[in-house]
Amino acid sequence: MTTEALAPPRKMRSGEVAVLLLLPIALINAIGFILPVLNLARFSFNKVSIGGGIENVFTWENWLGLLADRFYLELIFNSVWISLAITLTTLILSYPIALYLHRSSGPWRTFLTVLVISPLLTSAVVRTYGWIAILIDDGPVVSAIRALGLPAPSLMFNIKGVFIGLTEILMPYMILALMAGFGRLDPRVEEAARTLGATPARTFRKVILPLTLPGIALGCLLCFVLAVSSFITPKLMGGGRVFLLATEIYDQAIVTLNWPLASTLSILVLIVFGAALWAYSAVLRRLD
Amino acid sequence: MPVSQSLEEHLKLDGISISFGPVNVIPSLDLSVRKGEMVAFLGPSGCGKTTTLRMIAGLISPSSGRITVGGRDITRLPIHDRDMGMVFQSYALFPHMDVTRNVQFGLQMRNVSKQDIERRSKEALELVQLGHLAQRKPKELSGGQQQRVALARALVIQPSILLLDEPLSNLDAKLRDEMRLQIRALQQQSGITAVFVTHDQVEALSMCDRVVVMRNGRIEQFGTPTEIYERPATAFVANFVGRTNRLKGKVGSDGQLVAAGQPLRATTKLSPGPVDVLIRPHRIALQPSSGPATTGDGNVVEGKVSSIIFIGDLVQYVVRAGDEEIVVEEATRRERAPLGVGDNVHLRWSADDTLVYPDDGK
Ligand SMILES: Nc1ncnc2c1ncn2[C@@H]1O[C@H](COP(=O)(O)OP(=O)(O)OP(=O)(O)O)[C@@H](O)[C@H]1O
Ligand SMILES: [Mg+2]
């Protein structure tokens, strides 16, 4: 008996379906992201000519120069450090809000969620100018501090201003990421801990915190990446006195017209992101 | 007989009530549980069993009323100071801890010494027959296994009050029987006062010292299993606990009860009006109508067998009598020639077994 004749028409295996479905986005990514990045990587080994043109030669000059220059080493170190500090501050300020939102329900929750998301509806430029108006030397905050008879700090056009502005701008992202990661937090589980004799503080440490770690990791990754790559806020609020990776890339690319150096710095930022992603997946692996 | 059970009042609910939004889920509840006693909460889904348990544990505060334990008012006491072990209906295991660490959690919170934690958690896991799965995470366990971890976690802390929200609902019949015996033995040995929520009347009647039958947030009856079964306070209780035949009846102005087209005798005091007459299927004796029709002081009703259902150790006869169908259950035995469909029969039951309630309109 021949079984071939009876066999149903060949079905696509799930692997083939997946490849088909992924193909469009893979193409778009290849053209819109991978190729430009490769091009950027190539620039970083090119040389800049006197007039700002690019000499198509292979050289390690940019990379070696970068690693030998104290200014750039400090720039990298500062950028990473400040971004980490901003991420941590954002986390501390956002966590209670996200937890409260996670626990609330009904129209109240919808209202608060809209409130949290609404800053994202205004551009970061507008919000940055808002912060400048608030924090500037004779603005309301500094005047209020002065009125209290305290020594008034200078909050604008320095790193403090950048810190405050970025933290506020990143908070909605952090809150949303935290809430997305709070899925495992079941109120019954908290209650179980309480009936077993755990005080609210111990319940937080032993149950709530471990169960929300995935959300924390996600939020921190997101905010760190956004902080390192943020340009508008440090540029405007730093008043040209705060040097970070993103602002420096801008200056090199647009002002100095040194594209090879700008490319080298950009690839460096990508390496920093790669490290952040690696740390994130390491945390997630440990959780599982 | 439970050794540790005394008449001393332990857990007391004093007019507690709660509303969720506009819905008054528990209007006002009074209950007094003795020390070392195991009380069952029995009632249909949504009647407020879990809600009451949660108020006792302190997970929600009653809108009004008082909860006392051993005379001490705990209505406002924080949850973690109440020393109550709770088994949640949804288990509520810690997903990030393995089975052992789940069971040890309560002991760690009580600052028990390391050795004791090891020993007691091991014992508790042996008790629920899960020693071999100690390293698993909750998500790697079946529903029944998770339920047993939840049970071990609540038992291991030897709380002064144990609150069990359908702790055996997900186990197979055999395991459930074993767990019942073990929970009961443990509860009696250590004299823990326990509240046991269940849908299962067999569980309630067989395991517990007393049973609370609840309906719509109210207590219909609170009594020993025998009282609940033999002298149900309302038609609802009679219907909910055990199987019953329900006949529409009437009490005339002369006090005579009539149902299934016949005058019946009952021992309850009757006031005139429409009534429900309830008779348990196995309290009715069935005889071929050719036999002697002695009335005695019981009830005799004539009918015709309309169907027979064989269940193994029981046979159910559905008998048509007047315009009612009455189910009769008999243990299967061999000595009598089996009745057949269409046979004329006499149904016989005593006046004591005739439960009469005013018609509640349902
Ligand atoms: N948080 C809440 N918000 C609003 N209504 C609630 C809430 N909790 C319980 N209810 C309502 O209160 C009633 C009693 O609920 P409860 O959970 O106590 O029932 P139950 O007797 O435990 O039922 P089951 O046997 O199905 O578990 C239900 O009608 C339920 O819908
Ligand atoms: Mg329930």
Side-chain angles (χ1 to χ4, degrees):
Chain A
M1 209 176 95
T2 53
T3 46
E4 287 89 71
L6 296 172
R10 202 181 75 89
K11 276 202 197 140
M12 274 202 285
R13 270 177 289 129
S14 61
E16 292 169 350
V17 175
V19 167
L20 255 170
L21 287 173
L22 287 174
L23 207 58
I25 187 70
L27 265 175
I28 292 173
N29 243 327
I31 297 169
F33 179 67
I34 308 235
L35 282 181
V37 166
L38 286 177
N39 202 29
L40 212 60
R42 194 177 60 107
F43 279 163
S44 77
F45 293 104
N46 287 162
K47 229 176 128 158
V48 67
S49 63
I50 312 298
I54 292 169
E55 275 181 49
N56 203 353
V57 293
F58 182 85
T59 170
W60 286 96
E61 216 172 85
N62 301 311
W63 285 98
L64 293 175
L66 203 81
L67 296 177
D69 193 333
R70 267 199 70 103
F71 172 75
Y72 283 114
L73 290 180
E74 262 174 39
L75 182 78
I76 297 165
F77 181 79
N78 279 347
S79 283
V80 171
W81 192 88
I82 290 169
S83 298
L84 282 177
I86 289 174
T87 303
L88 188 70
T89 314
T90 311
L91 174 67
I92 292 169
L93 293 178
S94 304
Y95 192 92
I97 299 176
L99 199 59
Y100 183 81
L101 269 173
H102 177 77
R103 287 175 177 171
S104 57
S105 60
W108 180 234
R109 182 195 170 115
T110 315
F111 173 73
L112 290 176
T113 310
V114 168
L115 218 59
V116 162
I117 297 173
S118 59
L120 298 178
L121 303 177
T122 359
S123 96
V125 181
V126 175
R127 286 157 71 200
T128 302
Y129 277 117
W131 274 115
I132 293 178
I134 293 170
L135 297 178
I136 203 149
D137 275 350
D138 44 6
V141 173
V142 174
S143 311
I145 295 176
R146 215 173 268 138
L148 290 172
L150 298 168
S154 176
L155 292 176
M156 192 37 62
F157 304 128
N158 54 29
I159 193 67
K160 287 180 220 138
V162 175
F163 201 102
I164 295 171
L166 264 185
T167 300
E168 187 270 338
I169 282 168
L170 292 178
M171 273 180 68
Y173 298 102
M174 180 63 98
I175 294 173
L176 290 180
L178 286 174
M179 282 174 71
F182 282 1
R184 287 213 295 175
L185 192 62
D186 173 1
R188 294 282 170 277
V189 169
E190 293 172 47
E191 290 176 353
R194 303 277 280 117
T195 60
L196 288 167
T199 57
R202 284 181 106 175
T203 306
F204 180 78
R205 227 178 42 240
K206 294 268 183 181
V207 177
I208 301 177
L209 199 57
L211 287 178
T212 52
L213 266 183
I216 294 177
L218 180 65
C220 286
L221 173 72
L222 190 68
C223 286
F224 176 73
V225 165
L226 288 173
V228 169
S229 58
S230 69
F231 164 70
I232 292 168
T233 309
K235 184 83 189 162
L236 295 180
M237 296 185 80
R241 269 173 271 169
V242 174
F243 297 99
L244 295 173
L245 271 169
T247 53
E248 186 61 21
I249 291 171
Y250 175 87
D251 285 346
Q252 290 300 336
I254 307 296
V255 182
T256 324
L257 288 181
N258 188 347
W259 282 31
L261 186 54
S263 303
T264 311
L265 287 170
S266 302
I267 296 294
L268 208 84
V269 169
L270 271 182
I271 292 172
V272 170
F273 287 176
L277 211 58
W278 174 83
Y280 171 72
S281 53
V283 168
L284 279 202
R285 229 175 305 122
R286 276 215 40 207
L287 288 182
D288 240 31
Chain B
M1 262 286 75
V3 200
S4 53
Q5 196 194 323
S6 63
L7 292 178
E8 187 191 330
E9 178 179 283
H10 193 209
L11 171 66
K12 194 156 186 285
L13 310 185
D14 216 344
I16 57 168
S17 74
I18 188 142
S19 304
F20 293 118
V23 192
N24 197 205
V25 173
I26 311 265
S28 174
L29 202 112
D30 297 294
L31 184 69
S32 168
V33 180
R34 295 174 195 139
K35 192 159 182 54
E37 186 179 37
M38 179 121 133
V39 166
F41 280 10
L42 185 63
S45 187
C47 70
K49 306 182 293 289
T50 298
T51 305
T52 309
L53 222 55
R54 289 170 62 76
M55 286 194 282
I56 298 173
L59 298 172
I60 42 177
S61 342
S63 324
S64 63
R66 258 162 38 105
I67 302 173
T68 54
V69 171
R72 171 163 168 244
D73 189 339
I74 62 156
T75 320
R76 302 270 162 253
L77 197 68
I79 309 162
H80 58 270
D81 288 334
R82 293 195 180 200
D83 192 27
M84 295 183 183
M86 177 145 177
V87 176
F88 288 74
Q89 202 167 1
S90 57
Y91 323 142
L93 298 178
F94 305 121
H96 57 302
M97 301 181 191
D98 66 16
V99 167
T100 305
R101 296 210 20 237
N102 261 283
V103 174
Q104 293 180 341
F105 188 88
L107 297 172
Q108 280 161 356
M109 293 304 125
R110 283 168 171 67
N111 301 324
V112 176
S113 80
K114 242 192 164 73
Q115 290 158 317
D116 281 358
I117 289 182
E118 291 292 330
R119 184 179 50 77
R120 282 167 68 177
S121 66
K122 218 168 168 150
E123 282 170 8
L125 280 176
E126 293 303 329
L127 184 79
V128 297
Q129 305 174 19
L130 281 180
H132 58 297
L133 298 179
Q135 312 305 329
R136 295 262 189 102
K137 286 274 179 72
K139 64 170 181 235
E140 299 159 349
L141 300 176
S142 75
Q145 289 166 343
Q146 291 182 34
Q147 200 159 37
R148 282 182 280 156
V149 177
L151 196 56
R153 186 176 67 176
L155 290 174
V156 77
I157 57 174
Q158 297 175 355
S160 67
I161 292 176
L162 193 57
L163 305 170
L164 304 153
D165 200 350
E166 305 193 29
L168 307 178
S169 60
N170 238 326
L171 307 183
D172 63 59
K174 183 166 166 289
L175 196 55
R176 185 184 306 207
D177 284 343
E178 278 176 43
M179 286 291 130
R180 271 182 203 159
L181 291 176
Q182 281 177 354
I183 294 177
R184 182 62 164 150
L186 197 89
Q187 177 260 335
Q188 290 184 335
Q189 275 163 24
S190 34
I192 301 176
T193 306
V195 179
F196 192 111
V197 170
T198 175
H199 278 124
D200 183 345
Q201 38 156 318
V202 176
E203 205 157 270
L205 297 179
S206 66
M207 257 182 98
C208 298
D209 299 301
R210 287 193 291 171
V211 178
V212 177
V213 181
M214 284 181 74
R215 178 200 200 184
N216 294 336
R218 290 170 206 279
I219 294 180
E220 288 273 312
Q221 190 173 3
F222 182 28
T224 63
T226 321
E227 282 164 5
I228 298 278
Y229 191 84
E230 298 291 349
R231 291 187 294 284
T234 63
F236 174 83
V237 175
N239 261 319
F240 197 79
V241 182
R243 289 179 296 276
T244 48
N245 286 293
R246 184 173 192 160
L247 312 180
K248 288 271 154 242
K250 210 175 164 157
V251 176
S253 47
D254 55 349
Q256 178 60 56
L257 170 67
V258 179
Q262 303 208 22
L264 296 178
R265 292 179 210 203
T267 40
T268 358
K269 266 218 168 324
L270 304 172
S271 49
V275 288
D276 279 330
V277 180
L278 279 71
I279 313 137
R280 305 226 180 257
H282 68 280
R283 292 287 166 86
I284 305 175
L286 204 59
Q287 287 169 341
S289 49
S290 49
T294 46
T295 332
D297 51 2
N299 292 303
V300 180
V301 168
E302 277 191 43
K304 191 179 237 191
V305 177
S306 61
S307 67
I308 300 173
I309 303 155
F310 180 74
I311 314 180
D313 39 7
L314 277 183
V315 201
Q316 274 186 352
Y317 297 92
V318 181
V319 177
R320 181 123 221 124
D323 50 2
E324 300 271 9
E325 289 212 311
I326 300 177
V327 177
V328 180
E329 282 176 5
E330 277 195 342
T332 41
R333 45 180 111 90
R334 290 167 185 271
E335 62 262 30
R336 197 185 64 198
L339 292 161
V341 173
D343 287 358
N344 286 316
V345 287
H346 281 150
L347 304 174
R348 213 180 269 281
W349 69 88
S350 75
D352 281 337
D353 286 329
T354 316
L355 307 170
V356 185
Y357 302 95
D359 185 359
D360 62 0
K362 286 208 182 137

